[in-house]
Amino acid sequence: MPQISQLAATYASQIFWMLAFFGFIYFVIGRGMVPKVMATVEARDKQIADDLAAADAARAAADAEEEAWRTADNARRAEAQAVIAKAKADAAAASEKRLAAAATVVDGRLAEADARIAAARDGALGEIETVASEAAAAIAQRVAGLSVDAKAANAAVKEAFHG
């Protein structure tokens, strides 16, 4: 059969061109393009990794800066609290001092008032005793017709009041 003898020649030609075509594709695409694409992918991966590392470093720096700011803020807050506490203590001490001075003045006035009251009471008691002794002498004169001297009347009234 002549067709079978042509098969080998036909297939050999097809196999040759298939190998030539795939060889060309292998060398052009596999050896030429793929390494460039792989280099681009690797460069992109490296850029992404570098960007992530830079972002991590920036975040760490921001965290450190925030911590430093918080520490400084807490220190400023503590200083402010200390100043406020000192101001309160100073104000309390000044108020205590003014109150003590006012209390001293008031105590002095009270002592003067007590002395005046005691003097007025003693004076009033003396007058009452004098009036009572004069009244007792006058009553004894009118009722009993007795004459009582002032010393005896004073002694009797003092004994009645204090006795």
Side-chain angles (χ1 to χ4, degrees):
M1 271 196 143
Q3 292 106 355
I4 293 182
S5 66
Q6 287 179 344
L7 272 177
T10 305
Y11 281 127
S13 169
Q14 287 180 351
I15 290 174
F16 169 77
W17 285 111
M18 187 174 71
L19 287 175
F21 177 75
F22 283 121
F24 175 76
I25 298 247
Y26 173 77
F27 283 109
V28 170
I29 293 177
R31 294 291 182 173
M33 291 180 166
V34 170
K36 290 179 183 177
V37 170
M38 292 304 292
T40 303
V41 169
E42 288 174 9
R44 193 179 106 212
D45 288 346
K46 184 179 182 299
Q47 182 64 38
I48 290 171
D50 291 344
D51 288 347
L52 288 175
D56 285 342
R59 187 181 65 227
D63 288 346
E65 185 69 28
E66 181 184 8
E67 186 61 33
W69 178 82
R70 285 183 194 268
T71 302
D73 185 48
N74 288 340
R76 284 190 301 270
R77 231 175 260 247
E79 287 176 23
Q81 291 296 329
V83 168
I84 289 170
K86 184 180 181 305
K88 282 183 181 179
D90 291 347
S95 294
E96 290 261 339
K97 200 175 200 182
R98 284 190 305 234
L99 286 175
T104 302
V105 170
V106 169
D107 288 345
R109 288 182 184 172
L110 283 176
E112 289 175 11
D114 284 345
R116 283 194 312 257
I117 290 171
R121 184 182 46 212
D122 290 343
L125 283 176
E127 286 181 26
I128 290 173
E129 287 177 2
T130 304
V131 170
S133 64
E134 289 174 1
I139 290 173
Q141 173 91 28
R142 283 195 184 170
V143 172
L146 299 173
S147 175
V148 178
D149 67 357
K151 288 185 182 181
N154 278 342
V157 168
K158 282 187 182 183
E159 183 180 327
F161 276 148
H162 300 293

